């Protein structure tokens, strides 16, 4: 008590009052600057954590999309099997009253169920393989799954098929082992008018996605980061990552308004968490990802303690130090923030200069590496989006985009071009005789022949199945016919070798040339397609030119 009184008297002296005043004049701005820096660092780290969460969600969505496409590809392969088409065709031809009876009494359905059971044994991740009617009724099912166990059939499956040629259901729980399931299906016998009567579907366990929810997969140690998949319509978490269920199962991830806001949560154990719900762009799911608050903002906490200590120890010099630190810190942080804003807007051509060998320099280096990886991932995604995975040619979407560019160029500069529609003759016989893998080999080698016989200015793409579309830039009628004959002869003289089997194939080619009366690029495709049909009707293995006057 006496010491406190003596201290109070010492502070009453004029000299000390001036000294205290000088300290306060210096310390208050310093403290204000420290608080400002603290707030800016907090904001920057929040944006960094949020960006990391968003990046993880984008990677997760890409991986899940690839996982779904693999299942859809399997279904497409299954649906092309002759045993499926024959059994379903026979079922559809049965009288209605007989078809509504016990399908197991019909030999075709029995054979189909045996085939589905065989497929299921080969693909361990599939719970059931089903053939369904348009209403979702079970026509045939693999034996281990049975017919009676319920499943979720999406109400909007027709719209999904119209948009993407396949459908999937919301996640639902298997009553036997409480694991999450999903139903994925494709239409059978889908024609050009999108008409179909039956569906082929698989019931898959979502536990196959658990490895994607491991934070280690995305470069995190995984000790303090937790992830789960969320149904964005219901806000229900249906699949948890490693160690996440105990932490997240008592948290409602449904945000009140903006789903892109980094929020603070407290779970049932009283742990303080920072998390974000990131909806996927092409799925009705989202990724709920949280991180321990102390880990996510450990830099902010340590910086706060350090600033208080510095202000207390060096209050007289804090004004000058704060000014110098502000200039040293704010310039690179502002550049980093502007770079982050450009990346958020989609501009990946960002490279920030690294002029410091400290935390900010390290953060700038990490930022540059992150942008470089994002740019590489974007390039890979663009490659996947425009290239046919089997032949390496342009896919249909890409080649049609190139055709539209040629059409617009023709309208502006009147530079004529031609379109070849090519089809492998009797390709179904190749698949039936040698197998689908042999058919894939045929398509790959035919595509290589296109690349060898086309100019750099020409473009080739897989139009669908065994059909290809070639765009001959700046070509006349005779040049187009000569190019088509060159390709046809090259294919005819080429022997496809598959597993020591020699396969000889031929192609039919229809030629259409741009005409001034064409209203869009579809007219020239229609003429080339009509010419292709004429080539087929006239005996195949030939080239047919279709002039605009022949329409």
């Amino acid at each position: 008590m006496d010491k406190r009184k003596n201290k109070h008297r010492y502070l009453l002296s004029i000299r000390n009052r001036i000294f205290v005043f000088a300290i306060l004049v210096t310390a208050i701005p310093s403290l204000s600057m420290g608080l400002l820096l603290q707030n800016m660092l907090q904001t920057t780290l929040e944006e960094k954590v949020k960006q990391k969460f968003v990046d993880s969600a984008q990677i997760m969505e890409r991986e899940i999309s690839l996982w779904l496409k693999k299942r859809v590809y399997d279904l497409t392969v299954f649906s092309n099997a002759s045993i499926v088409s024959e059994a379903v065709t026979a079922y559809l031809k049965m009288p209605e009253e007989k078809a509504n009876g016990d399908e197991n009494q019909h030999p075709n359905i029995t054979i189909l169920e045996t085939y589905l059971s065989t497929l299921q044994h080969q693909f361990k991740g599939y719970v059931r393989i089903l053939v369904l009617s348009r209403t979702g009724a079970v026509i045939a099912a693999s034996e281990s799954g049975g017919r009676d166990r319920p499943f979720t059939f999406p109400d909007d499956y027709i719209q999904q098929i119209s948009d993407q040629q396949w459908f999937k259901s919301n996640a639902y729980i298997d009553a036997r082992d409480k694991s999450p399931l999903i139903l994925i299906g494709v239409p059978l016998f889908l024609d050009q008018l999108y008409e179909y009567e039956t569906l082929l579907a698989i019931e898959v366990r979502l536990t196959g996605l658990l490895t994607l929810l491991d934070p280690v997969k995305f470069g995190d140690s995984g000790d303090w980061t937790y992830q789960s998949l969320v149904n964005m319509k219901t806000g229900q978490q249906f699949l948890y990552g490693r160690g996440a269920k105990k932490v997240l199962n008592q948290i409602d991830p449904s945000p009140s308004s903006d789903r892109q806001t980094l929020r603070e949560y407290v779970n049932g154990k009283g742990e303080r968490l920072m998390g974000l719900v990131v909806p996927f762009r092409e799925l009705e799911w989202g990724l709920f990802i949280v991180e321990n608050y102390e880990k996510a903002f450990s830099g902010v906490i340590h910086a706060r303690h350090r600033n208080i200590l510095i202000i207390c120890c060096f209050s007289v010099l804090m004004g000058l130090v704060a000014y110098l630190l502000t200039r040293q810190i704010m310039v690179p942080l502002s550049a980093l923030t502007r770079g982050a804003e450009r990346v958020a807007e989609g501009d990946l051509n960002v490279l920030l200069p690294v002029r410091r060998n400290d935390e900010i320099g390290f953060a700038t280096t990490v930022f540059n590496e992150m942008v470089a990886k994002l740019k590489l991932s974007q390039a890979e995604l663009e490659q996947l989006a425009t290239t046919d995975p089997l032949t390496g040619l342009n896919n249909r979407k890409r080649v049609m985009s190139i055709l539209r560019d040629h059409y617009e160029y023709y309208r502006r500069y009147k530079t004529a071009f031609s379109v070849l529609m090519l089809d492998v003759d009797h390709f179904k016989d190749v698949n039936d005789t040698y197998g689908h893998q042999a058919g894939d080999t045929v398509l790959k080698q035919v595509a290589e022949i296109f690349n060898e016989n086309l100019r750099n200015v020409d473009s080739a793409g897989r139009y669908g199945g065994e059909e290809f579309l070639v765009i001959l830039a700046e070509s006349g009628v005779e040049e187009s016919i000569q190019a088509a004959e060159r390709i046809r002869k090259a294919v005819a003289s080429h022997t496809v070798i598959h597993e020591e089997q020699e396969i000889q194939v031929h192609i039919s080619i229809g030629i259409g040339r741009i005409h001034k009366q064409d209203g869009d690029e579809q007219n020239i495709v229609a003429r080339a397609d009509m010419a292709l049909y004429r080539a087929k009707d006239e005996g195949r293995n030939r080239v047919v030119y279709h002039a605009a006057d022949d329409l």
Side-chain angles (χ1 to χ4, degrees), residues 26 47 65 122 144 147 151 163 181 204 209 228 241 277 328 346 358 390 392 436 454 468 501 534 542:
T26 306
E47 289 297 324
S65 296
Q122 297 175 359
S144 63
R147 296 167 167 267
F151 56 88
D163 292 340
L181 305 174
V204 189
L209 299 175
S228 68
V277 179
Q328 293 181 6
D358 57 9
L390 176 63
H436 288 280
L454 292 176
F468 299 88
Q501 299 180 93
R534 281 178 51 190
R542 65 190 61 239

Side-chain angles (χ1 to χ4, degrees), residues 52-324:
K52 182 179 73 171
F53 289 172
V54 172
D55 294 343
S56 298
Q58 291 175 349
I59 298 173
M60 176 74 67
E61 180 179 13
R62 186 175 71 250
E63 295 287 342
I64 292 176
S65 296
L66 293 175
W67 184 85
L68 290 172
K69 289 177 181 178
K70 176 62 173 63
R71 274 68 196 167
V72 173
Y73 175 79
D74 290 344
L75 279 172
T76 304
V77 173
F78 299 164
S79 66
N80 289 330
S82 58
I83 188 172
V84 175
S85 60
E86 291 171 0
V88 174
T89 301
Y91 171 82
L92 295 175
K93 290 181 179 179
M94 289 190 300
E96 183 176 356
E97 61 275 13
K98 187 175 181 180
N100 292 331
D102 185 4
E103 291 84 349
N104 291 323
Q105 300 301 319
H106 305 300
N108 289 313
I109 298 302
T110 303
I111 293 173
L112 179 58
E113 291 190 332
T114 302
Y115 175 70
L116 297 180
S117 300
T118 302
L119 288 178
Q120 182 191 343
H121 294 156
Q122 297 175 359
F123 295 85
K124 302 301 182 182
Y126 297 166
V127 179
R128 282 186 291 180
I129 305 179
L130 307 165
V131 176
L132 308 174
S133 68
R134 285 178 64 95
T135 60
V138 179
I139 297 174
S142 56
E143 60 183 4
S144 63
R147 296 167 167 267
D148 300 327
R149 196 164 67 254
F151 56 88
T152 297
F153 190 73
D155 296 332
D156 62 339
Y157 79 97
I158 296 178
Q159 183 63 40
Q160 292 189 49
I161 292 175
S162 175
D163 292 340
Q164 58 190 12
Q165 305 296 303
W166 59 280
F167 70 90
K168 65 176 180 60
S169 70
N170 291 328
Y172 55 96
I173 302 300
D174 190 340
R176 298 173 301 174
D177 58 4
K178 306 303 180 182
S179 62
L181 305 174
I182 187 175
L183 189 72
I184 306 173
V186 298
L188 289 174
F189 314 134
L190 184 66
D191 59 21
Q192 294 181 351
L193 298 177
Y194 298 95
E195 294 292 333
Y196 52 91
E197 294 295 332
T198 54
L199 307 166
L200 180 64
I202 54 175
E203 191 177 52
V204 189
R205 296 189 189 279
L206 289 177
T207 50
L209 299 175
L210 283 176
T211 56
L212 302 181
L213 292 174
D214 190 349
V216 177
K217 184 176 179 63
F218 304 106
D220 194 283
S221 63
D223 297 333
W224 303 96
T225 303
Y226 309 96
Q227 302 179 97
S228 68
L229 292 180
V230 181
N231 187 319
M232 299 306 297
K233 293 182 179 179
T234 63
Q236 183 68 32
Q237 302 179 72
F238 60 87
L239 189 65
Y240 297 88
R242 174 167 58 90
K245 189 170 184 179
K246 294 181 180 179
V247 178
L248 303 180
N249 62 349
Q250 297 181 4
I251 296 177
D252 181 12
S254 301
S256 57
S257 57
D258 184 11
R259 293 178 176 176
Q260 295 293 328
T261 301
L262 191 66
R263 297 176 59 194
E264 182 174 341
Y265 300 90
V266 178
N267 62 10
K269 298 181 180 180
E271 295 176 315
R272 193 178 179 189
L273 308 169
M274 292 299 295
L276 183 68
V277 179
V278 184
F280 295 154
R281 293 169 295 181
E282 300 179 359
L283 302 172
E284 60 269 21
W285 300 347
L287 179 66
F288 181 39
I289 178 169
V290 302
E291 196 168 69
N292 182 276
Y293 183 90
E294 283 75 17
K295 184 211 173 198
F297 297 97
S298 59
V300 175
I301 296 173
H302 295 158
R304 183 191 306 130
H305 296 161
R306 184 171 60 250
N307 289 340
I308 293 175
L309 180 61
I310 291 173
I311 291 173
C312 293
C313 297
F314 304 100
S315 59
V316 176
L317 301 176
M318 190 58 68
L320 178 60
V321 172
Y323 172 77
L324 296 176

Side-chain angles (χ1 to χ4, degrees), residues 389-392 437 439-449 468:
L390 176 63
T391 63
Q437 291 184 347
D440 291 345
T441 302
V442 168
L443 294 178
K444 291 177 183 177
Q445 296 192 16
V446 168
E448 292 175 1
I449 292 174
F468 299 88

Side-chain angles (χ1 to χ4, degrees), residues 20 33 35 39 61 71 81 114 128 134 145 233 254 312 355 367 369 382 389 446 464-465 479 517:
V20 169
M33 184 60 67
L35 293 176
N39 181 65
E61 180 179 13
R71 274 68 196 167
T114 302
R128 282 186 291 180
R134 285 178 64 95
K233 293 182 179 179
S254 301
C312 293
R355 300 189 177 95
F367 175 83
E369 293 176 353
E382 290 176 353
V446 168
E479 293 174 325
Q517 295 178 351

